[in-house]
Amino acid sequence: MTLIKPFRELCAEHGIAVTHQRQVLYEVMQGMDGHPSPEEIYARVKRKIPSISLATVYKNIHLFVESGVLREVSLHHGSQRLEMNAEEHHHLVCSKCKSIEDIDESSLGALPKRRKLADGFLVERYSVDVIGICAKCQ
Amino acid sequence: MTLIKPFRELCAEHGIAVTHQRQVLYEVMQGMDGHPSPEEIYARVKRKIPSISLATVYKNIHLFVESGVLREVSLHHGSQRLEMNAEEHHHLVCSKCKSIEDIDESSLGALPKRRKLADGFLVERYSVDVIGICAKCQ
DNA sequence: CAAATAAACAGTAATTATTACTGTTCAATA
DNA sequence: TATTGAACAGTAATAATTACTGTTTATTTG
Ligand SMILES: [Mn+2]
Ligand SMILES: [Mn+2]
Ligand SMILES: [Zn+2]
Ligand SMILES: [Zn+2]
């Protein structure tokens, strides 16, 4: 469905420079499915550019995410955070400052919940992140 | 709404032993709002039990989470993961093995989306984690 | 085209978050 | 009261990430 755009176009659109390392990194990542980690990506890129540095991989992944070329699975993947609100609720996550605010279910509107989903996944609960820009960051 | 249950009852229900450190740790955590990190919790507990070890705090937070006494904000907070699926989609997250599977929006049923929420939060997108037990782990 | 300039890079050191290990304390039990 | 196992404090080790430094590369300018 989504047509594959050449890397140089993507870079132009997002205002970042094209380099050989970035091009290969991006293409290698496109060839991986699921949700790879920087280390896994590094291992693959190294096969194409053996001299590449892990730091360069991290730096460019970060650049891609910052500039919007690609996205990360969770905006709050750093250190562990404990949930002190026992009520059933969800979160407003600011994509700029990464702040996390509680929002209760009723403010979101009812979610259509199912106990059982395809391929036999047994549902315990839904956790919704509403991602956007908080009042302060606007 | 949720009535405050004494700590010893909670421990009994979840099959873990009561100790002085655990009791104080739990009560201190209850007194914090939002989504504190282990380090922040450690700093506070240290005021009540100056001799407590950071390792003990980590170990008992882990125990609380494992036994279900409390929960963490994100099940996948460890290392960064990159999203290689450009389609709009959501995730099935297994609370046992922490695996993350893509699920497309249509399988979930329509979410009632709003562009603007209370306190001026500007919505970019919704990200839903359906948390439960995957087929393999059942 | 050659020198100057700045961005990007590789390699490595440092930092942060977390877990593992070790010897000691403590509380329940025989 | 002696035994014993769980929990603890203190510290070492590991994993993930970021910072730093000197070198290479591409671009711009004279
Ligand atoms: Mn919350
Ligand atoms: Mn995904
Ligand atoms: Zn913000
Ligand atoms: Zn599983």
Side-chain angles (χ1 to χ4, degrees), chain B:
Chain B
M1 298 299 131
T2 314
L3 67 158
I4 314 105
K5 213 170 279 181
F7 182 65
R8 20 192 82 256
E9 270 186 47
L10 258 183
C11 289
E13 282 173 18
H14 293 93
I16 68 175
V18 180
T19 72
H20 178 59
Q21 281 84 345
R22 281 174 198 168
Q23 171 119 36
V24 173
L25 174 62
Y26 180 79
E27 278 160 10
V28 164
M29 290 179 80
Q30 288 305 316
M32 304 177 78
D33 44 42
H35 310 99
S37 67
E39 285 281 354
E40 286 164 358
I41 294 163
Y42 172 60
R44 287 243 199 161
V45 177
K46 225 172 152 56
R47 301 211 291 251
K48 304 248 176 186
I49 311 177
S51 67
I52 202 168
S53 162
L54 177 58
T56 298
V57 170
Y58 267 104
K59 203 142 28 74
N60 284 320
I61 287 173
H62 192 251
L63 179 73
F64 288 162
V65 170
E66 281 294 281
S67 65
V69 169
L70 50 87
R71 85 176 30 149
E72 50 192 337
V73 173
S74 171
L75 292 189
H76 35 267
H77 67 89
S79 72
Q80 186 184 38
R81 293 305 170 115
L82 282 308
E83 181 55 78
M84 289 306 119
N85 181 349
E87 303 297 318
E88 193 160 311
H89 69 282
H90 302 287
H91 291 120
L92 300 178
V93 182
C94 178
S95 56
K96 279 213 200 294
C97 68
K98 318 296 190 207
S99 68
I100 305 174
E101 284 287 316
D102 290 350
I103 179 173
D104 59 273
E105 188 130 68
S106 59
S107 315
L108 267 189
L111 307 175
K113 292 187 184 172
R114 305 177 186 179
R115 285 295 103 190
K116 202 93 180 174
L117 286 172
D119 39 278
F121 190 92
L122 183 65
V123 177
E124 286 171 357
R125 63 191 175 92
Y126 281 54
S127 171
V128 180
D129 280 359
V130 180
I131 296 163
I133 313 289
C134 77
K136 283 182 195 165
C137 288
Q138 286 177 42

Side-chain angles (χ1 to χ4, degrees), chain A residues 4-5 27 32 42 44 58 76 94 103 106 111 113:
Chain A
I4 313 105
K5 213 170 279 180
E27 278 159 10
M32 303 177 77
Y42 172 60
R44 287 243 198 160
Y58 267 104
H76 36 265
C94 178
I103 179 173
S106 58
L111 307 174
K113 291 187 186 172

Side-chain angles (χ1 to χ4, degrees), chain A residues 77-133:
Chain A
H77 67 91
S79 71
Q80 186 184 38
R81 295 304 171 115
L82 283 307
E83 182 55 79
M84 290 305 121
N85 181 349
E87 303 297 319
E88 193 159 312
H89 70 282
H90 302 288
H91 291 120
L92 299 177
V93 182
C94 178
S95 56
K96 280 213 198 297
C97 68
K98 319 293 190 209
S99 68
I100 305 173
E101 285 287 315
D102 290 350
I103 179 173
D104 57 275
E105 188 131 67
S106 58
S107 315
L108 268 189
L111 307 174
K113 291 187 186 172
R114 304 175 187 180
R115 285 294 103 190
K116 201 92 178 173
L117 288 172
D119 38 278
F121 190 92
L122 183 65
V123 178
E124 287 172 356
R125 64 192 175 92
Y126 280 54
S127 172
V128 179
D129 281 356
V130 181
I131 295 163
I133 314 288

